[in-house]
Amino acid sequence: MVESKQQWKAWLYLSPAIVLLLIFTVWPIINTVRMAFLNGYSGLAAVGGESFSFGIDNFKKVIEYKRFITCLKNTCVLCFVTVPLSTILALLVSVALNSIKPFQKVLQTIFFLPYVTNSIAIGMVFAAMFNIVGSAFGTPNQIIVTAGIVNNVIEFFGGTAVNWINSGSTHLANMTVMIIYIVWNALPFKILILLGGMQSINKQYYDAARVDGSTRRRIFARITVPLLSPMIAYVVITGFIGGFKEYTSIVGIFGADMGPAGAKGSMNTMVGFIYDALSSNSQGRASAAALILFGIILIATLINLWVSKKRVHY
Amino acid sequence: MKVVLENLTKIFPSRNKKSNEEVVAVNNFSFEIPDGKLVGLLGPSGCGKSTTLYMICGLQKLSGGKIYFGEDDVTDLPPEHRGVGLVFQNYALYPHMTVKQNILYPLQNLKGADKLSKEEMLSRTEEVARLVQIDGLLDRKPSEMSGGQQQRVAIARALVKMPRVLLLDEPLSNLDARLRLQTREEIRRIQKETGITTVFVTHDQEEAMSISDIIVVMKKGIIQQIDEPQKVYDDPANLFVAKFLGTPPINVFEGEVKEGMLFLGDDPVMRVSSVADQPVWVGIRPEGFILDENGPLHCSLEGVEVMGRDVSVVSEHAASQNPVVRSIISAESHIDTASPVIRYSLKPNKVFLFHKETEERLL
């Protein structure tokens, strides 16, 4: 009797959270699945009283889109390049930070700054750094105001300026800028996690390893990395999940056109594709794409977990 | 390999920036450890014994002095070039490696002429595992082993590279009482079998007494006494050493020498012709009391604790510095527990006199 009363109370206390979750999380998920499997579903048409047959047309359409393949390719390239690269860099930076005494706090703060900065703002700064104002690649009569800081540096060292993000730039150059930007943006969080993990490793392991005659490199490979492996796994898994959802960074540098002028959408990603579908009132297509993205993230995470089961020492 | 410590000094700078107080952890420590001996560094916590060990090991830099292994000056060598094996207090076994990988690890670090083939490494590992009797556990992880087994792995890891000196930091403090007895015998056996010069640190006097060839008693970074365990017990250099060694602890009295006679309170207990008249500290080992109806020392009887072979008599005396006077008497002797007073005479070789100010030994 008392027990059932308490249970009733428990549900009462939980109800605000449950109601919000049901309305804003559970129902949208169910609705997404529903919309994805209604052929050619459109919210506007639905309001107009149109009915839709059940089927997988949305998925077929999504996969047939050439744009979708571009988006998928861009997302995968960004993901598989930036996550390992930023993890390795973060690991090296944390080891370096951990091994110095003076300025550690100051450097830590500097490395952490990107984390507290708005990513659109960072994107605009990056865009300015890589931007060419005026035209280096037009007629000789056109005045070049600046080739961008990055190009200034390249030219200072005797290289030739590269058209990074302006009209006529190559896909490779665009990708390079994006990778540099995403890696730099992803570093602080990873450094924070890895440095924290490193500082919680018992110093005696390092003393023992020193007495055992280990070189620094061996200590890193055989002691630090294995003992840090739970943190590394965490950083890699969340990195992949974040990577597959890459969108704002592209907007930050290329704007809503998702590509350099003249090659609109060439840098678009999965999430960008979903937004585009939504804005053209094709909720069915957007839902299908969202489910595909969900499937990809799920598979990637499962692979990550499977690998970490073998490689991570808890 | 003999180990010579010459004027070893370690000064830690003050942590507090305002006060410039430095902490002298080890003060002018000179001592020669003979080849193949087991030496126990004994002292209360904070006496600098672990610091001394870490200086021998090379993990702590010296503030002054020299360290020689045999004829080699190793003072400025980093730990990896000293050829020492160190067993940490909490073992510091690499948790992600199996026992075998843990023991192999120091061998895999060997370079140049010392480099071993895979087969040699494995045979060395198995050999040392047999020595410490963990040969059946090589594929386990440290977390899957008991404290005693982990301790053995730690010793095996320290021994596998055939160190010139083996160093043990509080090797038994993480073990339960029974395992401690067993493991200290084990350490003794392994040390005897390998003949490696061994230094170990402990705050447990019983542990140090039972397995060391030589005991070094330390207090506040200064050596108090260096000798064989029995000699340190029988012949303490000062009041600190006398108080630190022995269970039950030594009974300390405030006494006075007057005209060649030692007085405890009003009781004239012993003739001491060689000590000038002065107030003194008197230490009497629990086994230094003899039941004697006409004995000179009067104590008020509090109780008797039977310990089987012996009985421990608890009594009080006005001059005693300990809360109670505890004596150990053979169980056969008859004690009248109804009597309020118990009288003792003393065994002169169990009575030590110490200077009142310096606490140095007088007799």
Side-chain angles (χ1 to χ4, degrees), chain A residues 57-116:
Chain A
D57 276 10
N58 289 327
F59 290 93
K60 273 191 197 153
K61 248 191 188 154
V62 165
I63 292 169
E64 278 164 7
Y65 266 113
K66 223 182 138 207
R67 276 191 289 131
F68 177 76
I69 304 301
T70 312
C71 293
L72 187 63
K73 227 165 65 188
N74 284 342
T75 308
C76 289
V77 169
L78 286 176
C79 225
F80 287 102
V81 176
T82 58
V83 173
L85 196 63
S86 62
T87 307
I88 291 168
L89 278 176
L91 201 55
L92 296 176
V93 171
S94 337
V95 170
L97 269 179
N98 198 28
S99 62
I100 54 164
K101 275 264 155 60
F103 307 124
Q104 190 186 23
K105 282 269 143 57
V106 178
L107 286 171
Q108 221 170 309
T109 312
I110 291 173
F111 276 108
F112 196 64
L113 274 179
Y115 194 66
V116 293

Side-chain angles (χ1 to χ4, degrees), chain B residues 1 18 64 98 119 124 132 139 165 171 178 205 212 227-228 230 246 263 277 297 300 307 340 356:
Chain B
M1 180 73 51
K18 281 174 199 157
T98 62
E119 294 74 38
R124 283 263 287 271
V132 300
D139 291 323
V165 181
R178 247 188 70 195
Q205 50 98 10
S212 322
D227 219 326
E228 289 165 25
Q230 194 62 46
F263 285 83
D277 289 5
L297 183 62
S300 53
M307 303 190 297
K356 192 86 189 209

Side-chain angles (χ1 to χ4, degrees), chain A:
Chain A
M1 185 64 191
V2 174
E3 209 171 78
S4 69
K5 202 176 172 186
Q6 276 180 345
Q7 228 175 48
W8 177 82
K9 269 190 183 169
W11 283 111
L12 179 71
Y13 297 149
L14 282 171
S15 57
I18 288 177
V19 167
L20 287 177
L21 279 173
L22 281 175
I23 295 173
F24 293 108
T25 306
V26 178
W27 167 243
I29 291 174
I30 295 169
N31 201 23
T32 304
V33 177
R34 186 181 75 91
M35 289 189 292
F37 286 98
L38 288 174
N39 290 339
Y41 182 89
S42 160
L44 217 57
V47 170
E50 203 176 315
S51 62
F52 305 94
S53 60
F54 182 80
I56 55 164
D57 276 10
N58 289 327
F59 290 93
K60 273 191 197 153
K61 248 191 188 154
V62 165
I63 292 169
E64 278 164 7
Y65 266 113
K66 223 182 138 207
R67 276 191 289 131
F68 177 76
I69 304 301
T70 312
C71 293
L72 187 63
K73 227 165 65 188
N74 284 342
T75 308
C76 289
V77 169
L78 286 176
C79 225
F80 287 102
V81 176
T82 58
V83 173
L85 196 63
S86 62
T87 307
I88 291 168
L89 278 176
L91 201 55
L92 296 176
V93 171
S94 337
V95 170
L97 269 179
N98 198 28
S99 62
I100 54 164
K101 275 264 155 60
F103 307 124
Q104 190 186 23
K105 282 269 143 57
V106 178
L107 286 171
Q108 221 170 309
T109 312
I110 291 173
F111 276 108
F112 196 64
L113 274 179
Y115 194 66
V116 293
T117 314
N118 183 299
S119 62
I120 297 285
I122 303 174
M124 289 168 84
V125 172
F126 262 72
M129 281 165 62
F130 286 96
N131 201 9
I132 292 164
V133 180
S135 180
F137 304 91
T139 58
N141 293 339
Q142 284 169 311
I143 303 154
I144 301 168
V145 176
T146 172
I149 293 175
V150 176
N151 278 336
N152 290 345
V153 171
I154 291 174
E155 280 172 339
F156 179 80
F157 287 105
T160 46
V162 178
N163 184 1
W164 292 109
I165 55 170
N166 294 64
S167 166
S169 57
T170 60
H171 189 64
L172 182 68
N174 296 163
M175 263 305 171
T176 312
V177 173
M178 278 326 298
I179 287 167
I180 293 173
Y181 168 68
I182 292 170
V183 166
W184 185 75
N185 203 12
L187 274 181
F189 178 69
K190 293 190 163 88
I191 292 173
L192 183 77
I193 298 286
L194 295 178
L195 190 62
M198 229 170 261
Q199 284 167 346
S200 69
I201 295 176
N202 192 336
K203 295 270 178 297
Q204 287 213 318
Y205 295 133
Y206 293 109
D207 281 345
R210 271 185 72 201
V211 176
D212 287 343
S214 257
T215 56
R216 276 170 162 268
R217 193 175 294 186
R218 260 184 89 78
I219 290 177
F220 177 72
R222 294 283 311 269
I223 314 269
T224 308
V225 170
L227 288 177
L228 215 56
S229 55
M231 277 72 174
I232 296 174
Y234 171 73
V235 154
V236 167
I237 289 172
T238 54
F240 267 108
I241 292 173
F244 279 117
K245 297 195 292 185
E246 206 62 70
Y247 175 67
T248 39
S249 52
I250 318 272
V251 176
I253 289 189
F254 291 103
D257 282 351
M258 303 301 280
K264 199 177 163 192
S266 71
M267 289 301 293
N268 207 352
T269 61
M270 297 281 286
V271 173
F273 181 88
I274 295 169
Y275 275 123
D276 288 349
L278 279 178
S279 59
S280 65
N281 229 319
S282 316
Q283 282 86 350
R285 217 165 65 214
S287 301
L291 284 186
I292 292 172
L293 178 59
F294 170 72
I296 292 172
I297 292 178
L298 186 69
I299 292 167
T301 307
L302 287 177
I303 292 172
N304 271 324
L305 287 175
W306 178 70
V307 172
S308 60
K309 222 176 209 167
K310 293 187 162 177
R311 293 270 165 229
V312 172
H313 310 277
Y314 287 104

Side-chain angles (χ1 to χ4, degrees), chain B residues 168-214:
Chain B
L168 307 159
D169 185 14
E170 301 264 10
L172 305 175
S173 62
N174 281 358
L175 303 176
D176 64 58
R178 247 188 70 195
L179 211 52
R180 203 175 294 176
L181 280 180
Q182 207 181 326
T183 309
R184 80 185 187 201
E185 296 312 315
E186 195 70 0
I187 290 174
R188 185 70 182 142
R189 177 183 68 79
I190 292 164
Q191 196 269 333
K192 280 249 168 72
E193 258 173 60
T194 54
I196 293 178
T197 310
T198 303
V199 183
F200 84 103
V201 157
T202 179
H203 60 266
D204 182 343
Q205 50 98 10
E206 216 179 308
E207 199 174 297
M209 299 261 286
S210 59
I211 60 171
S212 322
D213 294 310
I214 298 169

Side-chain angles (χ1 to χ4, degrees), chain B residues 48-77:
Chain B
K49 53 193 192 302
S50 286
T51 309
T52 307
L53 193 83
Y54 285 117
M55 282 196 284
I56 299 174
C57 168
L59 287 172
Q60 287 273 16
K61 282 207 174 79
L62 282 66
S63 307
K66 293 260 174 211
I67 300 174
Y68 299 91
F69 287 180
E71 302 306 318
D72 306 343
D73 181 355
V74 299
T75 312
D76 296 321
L77 280 184

